[in-house]
Amino acid sequence: MMKNTIAADLEWSSLAQKALNGECLTVEEGLAVLNAHNDEILPLMQAAFNVRKHYYGKKVKLNMIINAKSGLCPEDCGYCSQSIVSTAPVQKYTLLDKDTLLAGAREAMARQAGTYCIVAAGKGPTEKELDQVVDAVREIRETMPLKICACLGILKDGQAERLSEAGVHRYNHNLNTSKANYPSITTTHTYDQRVETVEKVKSHGMSPCSGVIIGMGETNHEIVEMAYALRELDADSIPINFLNAIPGTPLEKSGRTSAMKALKVLALFRFICPSKEIRVAGGREVNLRTLQPLSLYAANSLFVGDYLTTAGQDISADHHIIEDLGFEIELNAL
């Protein structure tokens, strides 16, 4: 038994060193991470932490979301309670006014979040909606030391430029799943459209944020492919969501991702995208449960507070996790 443990320690350490050397894991190595025996989780997370510590030390970036426009979405994304095919009872409202968006920014600061994420349901923003966001962003930039991330859907020509000029630091548009699995999740837009939007925001000087949702019927091989895709896309920030199956959505009967599997996924993304911000995002509370603290040995970022239509845990619990680990919050961090 001891020999096997030592061999496992060496294997995970070698993957960490490979990541630090700038080499990409092979498919076989990626699958080995995802298929690791649960008894090996601590040496695996230690190896991931060696990479995380090299780039980020013990600092943790905090992000806060505001659901700036809820429901009323024409898309058929199977995981989303705001989609046109969902029967989940969610609030429906048009884009929040500037004062409400500014109040959200002040709340982000109170929670010690360095990045404030303005998220709006829909295929993409109308020009009127973009005007409202641009107006709010300009005032936030003038009055608060916050980084701003916008997540407004697929952007039309000229819209990325306007957001960049207004002072949006980062734009989020998740790939969500593998290219092969995409048609089983959404049919009203394509995987390639999502890639094109990320490339568009990069070309206009905004930091690209793009991540995934684990637990939507993908295979382990496809999880490795997702990590490769985000490495190739050169996303600066990678939110790793774990499906929170909401009653009334097409994926309502999906089971949760086990905490052990979730940790292995986070380690995989740290190895394949070693220098990037890896964020434990939606669904962490219900999937990782009591093992949430271990996630920060691979990830260096958290969403704090509520998500779009589901509740997060109390902010004090997140602050306590960071404090108890001996880590520290990175204030005003992009």
Side-chain angles (χ1 to χ4, degrees):
M1 179 66 71
M2 183 64 71
K3 268 180 103 172
N4 289 341
T5 302
I6 292 172
D9 287 353
L10 290 173
E11 178 185 351
W12 307 134
S13 296
S14 68
L15 295 187
Q17 191 57 53
K18 191 171 184 177
L20 290 170
N21 291 342
E23 302 171 48
C24 189
L25 269 62
T26 65
V27 172
E28 292 73 20
E29 289 168 333
L31 290 172
V33 171
L34 296 178
N35 291 319
H37 195 282
N38 288 346
D39 289 353
E40 298 175 22
I41 199 68
L42 290 180
L44 175 61
M45 297 311 291
Q46 178 62 51
F49 178 64
N50 291 341
V51 182
R52 178 242 204 269
K53 188 177 180 182
H54 175 82
Y55 290 103
Y56 296 101
K58 293 184 176 181
K59 293 185 176 179
V60 181
K61 302 172 189 282
L62 300 183
N63 294 245
M64 192 195 93
I65 293 173
I66 187 167
N67 192 3
K69 176 188 173 188
S70 182
L72 308 171
C73 184
E75 303 297 284
D76 67 354
C77 305
Y79 52 84
C80 183
S81 59
Q82 302 182 83
S83 78
I84 196 169
V85 294
S86 169
T87 60
V90 298
Q91 285 185 296
K92 294 185 170 76
Y93 52 81
T94 57
L95 195 72
L96 298 174
D97 60 32
K98 183 169 77 170
D99 287 344
T100 306
L101 293 176
L102 291 172
R106 289 189 289 271
E107 177 61 26
M109 290 193 62
R111 295 178 182 183
Q112 300 185 63
T115 302
Y116 178 50
C117 308
I118 301 173
V119 183
K123 187 158 193 169
T126 65
E127 289 305 313
K128 180 181 177 182
E129 289 170 340
L130 200 72
D131 289 342
Q132 290 176 255
V133 172
V134 163
D135 191 27
V137 167
R138 284 185 174 138
E139 186 157 343
I140 294 168
R141 289 297 310 275
E142 289 170 2
T143 58
M144 295 174 233
L146 276 174
K147 307 297 183 185
I148 300 173
C149 177
C151 178
L152 310 175
I154 296 170
L155 296 175
K156 296 187 278 288
D157 289 345
Q159 291 185 328
E161 185 175 9
R162 289 190 62 201
L163 290 169
S164 180
E165 289 174 352
V168 171
H169 297 86
R170 174 172 286 168
Y171 196 87
N172 167 259
H173 204 52
N174 292 333
L175 297 185
N176 286 329
T177 192
S178 70
K179 186 168 185 176
N181 195 41
Y182 207 84
S184 70
I185 303 302
T186 308
T187 64
T188 46
H189 60 269
T190 67
Y191 178 93
D192 288 341
Q193 283 179 293
R194 286 188 171 264
V195 172
E196 288 163 10
T197 293
V198 176
E199 294 290 2
K200 184 178 291 186
V201 301
K202 284 166 62 177
S203 70
H204 288 287
M206 286 182 283
S207 173
C209 173
S210 189
V212 299
I213 304 172
I214 301 298
M216 299 197 297
E218 72 284 343
T219 64
N220 280 351
H221 197 285
E222 286 173 319
I223 294 174
V224 176
E225 288 176 357
M226 293 180 219
Y228 284 162
L230 290 166
R231 179 185 173 102
E232 184 177 349
L233 200 56
D234 201 23
D236 292 330
S237 177
I238 302 174
I240 309 294
N241 301 276
F242 299 97
L243 182 67
N244 184 354
I246 299 172
T249 63
L251 294 180
E252 66 179 352
K253 297 190 184 302
S254 300
R256 61 178 281 272
T257 298
S258 72
M260 288 293 194
K261 175 67 174 288
L263 291 173
K264 293 167 194 174
V265 169
L266 292 167
L268 173 77
F269 276 80
R270 175 56 68 201
F271 290 142
I272 292 181
C273 304
S275 66
K276 303 304 186 179
E277 177 183 347
I278 306 293
R279 182 158 59 259
V280 196
R284 66 178 166 95
E285 296 87 351
V286 298
N287 289 276
L288 281 156
R289 297 197 301 210
T290 59
L291 296 189
Q292 287 185 72
L294 279 177
S295 69
L296 288 178
Y297 281 89
N300 65 297
S301 178
L302 290 174
F303 273 126
V304 291
D306 295 338
Y307 301 97
L308 295 176
T309 62
T310 56
Q313 65 189 18
D314 189 90
I315 182 62
S316 64
D318 291 325
H319 287 174
H320 289 159
I321 285 173
I322 294 166
E323 178 184 353
D324 292 345
L325 286 169
F327 290 4
E328 62 179 304
I329 296 169
E330 184 175 353
L331 298 175
N332 304 322
L334 182 61

PDB file of all heavy atoms in Angstrom, residues 72-86:
ATOM      1  N   LEU A  72     -37.160  36.169 -19.234  1.00  0.00           N
ATOM      2  CA  LEU A  72     -37.404  36.832 -20.523  1.00  0.00           C
ATOM      3  C   LEU A  72     -36.376  36.455 -21.580  1.00  0.00           C
ATOM      4  O   LEU A  72     -36.089  37.223 -22.492  1.00  0.00           O
ATOM      5  CB  LEU A  72     -37.406  38.367 -20.344  1.00  0.00           C
ATOM      6  CG  LEU A  72     -38.317  38.926 -19.245  1.00  0.00           C
ATOM      7  CD1 LEU A  72     -38.057  40.415 -19.045  1.00  0.00           C
ATOM      8  CD2 LEU A  72     -39.781  38.673 -19.575  1.00  0.00           C
ATOM      9  N   CYS A  73     -35.810  35.249 -21.456  1.00  0.00           N
ATOM     10  CA  CYS A  73     -34.748  34.849 -22.382  1.00  0.00           C
ATOM     11  C   CYS A  73     -35.289  33.918 -23.461  1.00  0.00           C
ATOM     12  O   CYS A  73     -35.960  32.930 -23.157  1.00  0.00           O
ATOM     13  CB  CYS A  73     -33.619  34.159 -21.616  1.00  0.00           C
ATOM     14  SG  CYS A  73     -32.217  33.748 -22.687  1.00  0.00           S
ATOM     15  N   PRO A  74     -34.970  34.188 -24.738  1.00  0.00           N
ATOM     16  CA  PRO A  74     -35.465  33.354 -25.830  1.00  0.00           C
ATOM     17  C   PRO A  74     -34.630  32.099 -26.092  1.00  0.00           C
ATOM     18  O   PRO A  74     -34.979  31.287 -26.950  1.00  0.00           O
ATOM     19  CB  PRO A  74     -35.390  34.293 -27.031  1.00  0.00           C
ATOM     20  CG  PRO A  74     -34.205  35.166 -26.735  1.00  0.00           C
ATOM     21  CD  PRO A  74     -34.243  35.375 -25.242  1.00  0.00           C
ATOM     22  N   GLU A  75     -33.531  31.927 -25.342  1.00  0.00           N
ATOM     23  CA  GLU A  75     -32.652  30.782 -25.569  1.00  0.00           C
ATOM     24  C   GLU A  75     -33.186  29.536 -24.853  1.00  0.00           C
ATOM     25  O   GLU A  75     -33.933  29.638 -23.878  1.00  0.00           O
ATOM     26  CB  GLU A  75     -31.248  31.111 -25.079  1.00  0.00           C
ATOM     27  CG  GLU A  75     -30.642  32.360 -25.720  1.00  0.00           C
ATOM     28  CD  GLU A  75     -30.464  32.200 -27.211  1.00  0.00           C
ATOM     29  OE1 GLU A  75     -29.524  31.499 -27.629  1.00  0.00           O
ATOM     30  OE2 GLU A  75     -31.273  32.762 -27.967  1.00  0.00           O
ATOM     31  N   ASP A  76     -32.767  28.353 -25.333  1.00  0.00           N
ATOM     32  CA  ASP A  76     -33.304  27.107 -24.763  1.00  0.00           C
ATOM     33  C   ASP A  76     -32.247  26.311 -23.993  1.00  0.00           C
ATOM     34  O   ASP A  76     -32.270  25.080 -23.982  1.00  0.00           O
ATOM     35  CB  ASP A  76     -33.930  26.244 -25.864  1.00  0.00           C
ATOM     36  CG  ASP A  76     -32.903  25.703 -26.860  1.00  0.00           C
ATOM     37  OD1 ASP A  76     -31.712  26.086 -26.784  1.00  0.00           O
ATOM     38  OD2 ASP A  76     -33.295  24.889 -27.724  1.00  0.00           O
ATOM     39  N   CYS A  77     -31.338  26.991 -23.326  1.00  0.00           N
ATOM     40  CA  CYS A  77     -30.275  26.325 -22.572  1.00  0.00           C
ATOM     41  C   CYS A  77     -30.880  25.423 -21.495  1.00  0.00           C
ATOM     42  O   CYS A  77     -31.628  25.885 -20.625  1.00  0.00           O
ATOM     43  CB  CYS A  77     -29.352  27.353 -21.934  1.00  0.00           C
ATOM     44  SG  CYS A  77     -28.645  28.530 -23.133  1.00  0.00           S
ATOM     45  N   GLY A  78     -30.559  24.141 -21.547  1.00  0.00           N
ATOM     46  CA  GLY A  78     -31.222  23.155 -20.709  1.00  0.00           C
ATOM     47  C   GLY A  78     -30.920  23.263 -19.233  1.00  0.00           C
ATOM     48  O   GLY A  78     -31.652  22.723 -18.405  1.00  0.00           O
ATOM     49  N   TYR A  79     -29.835  23.949 -18.866  1.00  0.00           N
ATOM     50  CA  TYR A  79     -29.435  24.064 -17.471  1.00  0.00           C
ATOM     51  C   TYR A  79     -30.024  25.287 -16.790  1.00  0.00           C
ATOM     52  O   TYR A  79     -29.949  25.429 -15.568  1.00  0.00           O
ATOM     53  CB  TYR A  79     -27.896  24.165 -17.380  1.00  0.00           C
ATOM     54  CG  TYR A  79     -27.330  25.246 -18.277  1.00  0.00           C
ATOM     55  CD1 TYR A  79     -27.272  26.574 -17.874  1.00  0.00           C
ATOM     56  CD2 TYR A  79     -26.885  24.940 -19.558  1.00  0.00           C
ATOM     57  CE1 TYR A  79     -26.792  27.559 -18.707  1.00  0.00           C
ATOM     58  CE2 TYR A  79     -26.397  25.922 -20.396  1.00  0.00           C
ATOM     59  CZ  TYR A  79     -26.354  27.224 -19.973  1.00  0.00           C
ATOM     60  OH  TYR A  79     -25.877  28.206 -20.820  1.00  0.00           O
ATOM     61  N   CYS A  80     -30.623  26.196 -17.565  1.00  0.00           N
ATOM     62  CA  CYS A  80     -30.923  27.536 -17.052  1.00  0.00           C
ATOM     63  C   CYS A  80     -32.402  27.713 -16.706  1.00  0.00           C
ATOM     64  O   CYS A  80     -33.285  27.465 -17.534  1.00  0.00           O
ATOM     65  CB  CYS A  80     -30.492  28.582 -18.073  1.00  0.00           C
ATOM     66  SG  CYS A  80     -30.747  30.279 -17.497  1.00  0.00           S
ATOM     67  N   SER A  81     -32.664  28.213 -15.506  1.00  0.00           N
ATOM     68  CA  SER A  81     -34.036  28.447 -15.067  1.00  0.00           C
ATOM     69  C   SER A  81     -34.656  29.675 -15.718  1.00  0.00           C
ATOM     70  O   SER A  81     -35.860  29.901 -15.600  1.00  0.00           O
ATOM     71  CB  SER A  81     -34.066  28.612 -13.545  1.00  0.00           C
ATOM     72  OG  SER A  81     -33.241  29.695 -13.144  1.00  0.00           O
ATOM     73  N   GLN A  82     -33.830  30.469 -16.427  1.00  0.00           N
ATOM     74  CA  GLN A  82     -34.342  31.671 -17.082  1.00  0.00           C
ATOM     75  C   GLN A  82     -34.673  31.443 -18.559  1.00  0.00           C
ATOM     76  O   GLN A  82     -35.144  32.354 -19.233  1.00  0.00           O
ATOM     77  CB  GLN A  82     -33.316  32.810 -16.972  1.00  0.00           C
ATOM     78  CG  GLN A  82     -32.951  33.157 -15.541  1.00  0.00           C
ATOM     79  CD  GLN A  82     -31.982  34.318 -15.472  1.00  0.00           C
ATOM     80  OE1 GLN A  82     -32.359  35.478 -15.527  1.00  0.00           O
ATOM     81  NE2 GLN A  82     -30.690  33.997 -15.359  1.00  0.00           N
ATOM     82  N   SER A  83     -34.412  30.234 -19.054  1.00  0.00           N
ATOM     83  CA  SER A  83     -34.586  29.985 -20.483  1.00  0.00           C
ATOM     84  C   SER A  83     -36.059  29.855 -20.859  1.00  0.00           C
ATOM     85  O   SER A  83     -36.927  29.640 -20.010  1.00  0.00           O
ATOM     86  CB  SER A  83     -33.832  28.711 -20.890  1.00  0.00           C
ATOM     87  OG  SER A  83     -34.574  27.582 -20.513  1.00  0.00           O
ATOM     88  N   ILE A  84     -36.306  29.936 -22.140  1.00  0.00           N
ATOM     89  CA  ILE A  84     -37.689  29.883 -22.641  1.00  0.00           C
ATOM     90  C   ILE A  84     -38.327  28.519 -22.404  1.00  0.00           C
ATOM     91  O   ILE A  84     -39.558  28.396 -22.356  1.00  0.00           O
ATOM     92  CB  ILE A  84     -37.717  30.261 -24.148  1.00  0.00           C
ATOM     93  CG1 ILE A  84     -39.149  30.596 -24.569  1.00  0.00           C
ATOM     94  CG2 ILE A  84     -37.120  29.157 -24.999  1.00  0.00           C
ATOM     95  CD1 ILE A  84     -39.227  31.227 -25.938  1.00  0.00           C
ATOM     96  N   VAL A  85     -37.520  27.471 -22.228  1.00  0.00           N
ATOM     97  CA  VAL A  85     -38.063  26.131 -22.027  1.00  0.00           C
ATOM     98  C   VAL A  85     -38.204  25.771 -20.544  1.00  0.00           C
ATOM     99  O   VAL A  85     -38.676  24.689 -20.207  1.00  0.00           O
ATOM    100  CB  VAL A  85     -37.189  25.066 -22.728  1.00  0.00           C
ATOM    101  CG1 VAL A  85     -37.236  25.238 -24.235  1.00  0.00           C
ATOM    102  CG2 VAL A  85     -35.753  25.117 -22.218  1.00  0.00           C
ATOM    103  N   SER A  86     -37.814  26.671 -19.670  1.00  0.00           N
ATOM    104  CA  SER A  86     -37.886  26.403 -18.245  1.00  0.00           C
ATOM    105  C   SER A  86     -39.256  26.771 -17.681  1.00  0.00           C
ATOM    106  O   SER A  86     -39.854  27.773 -18.068  1.00  0.00           O
ATOM    107  CB  SER A  86     -36.808  27.203 -17.506  1.00  0.00           C
ATOM    108  OG  SER A  86     -37.005  27.169 -16.113  1.00  0.00           O
TER     109      SER A  86
END
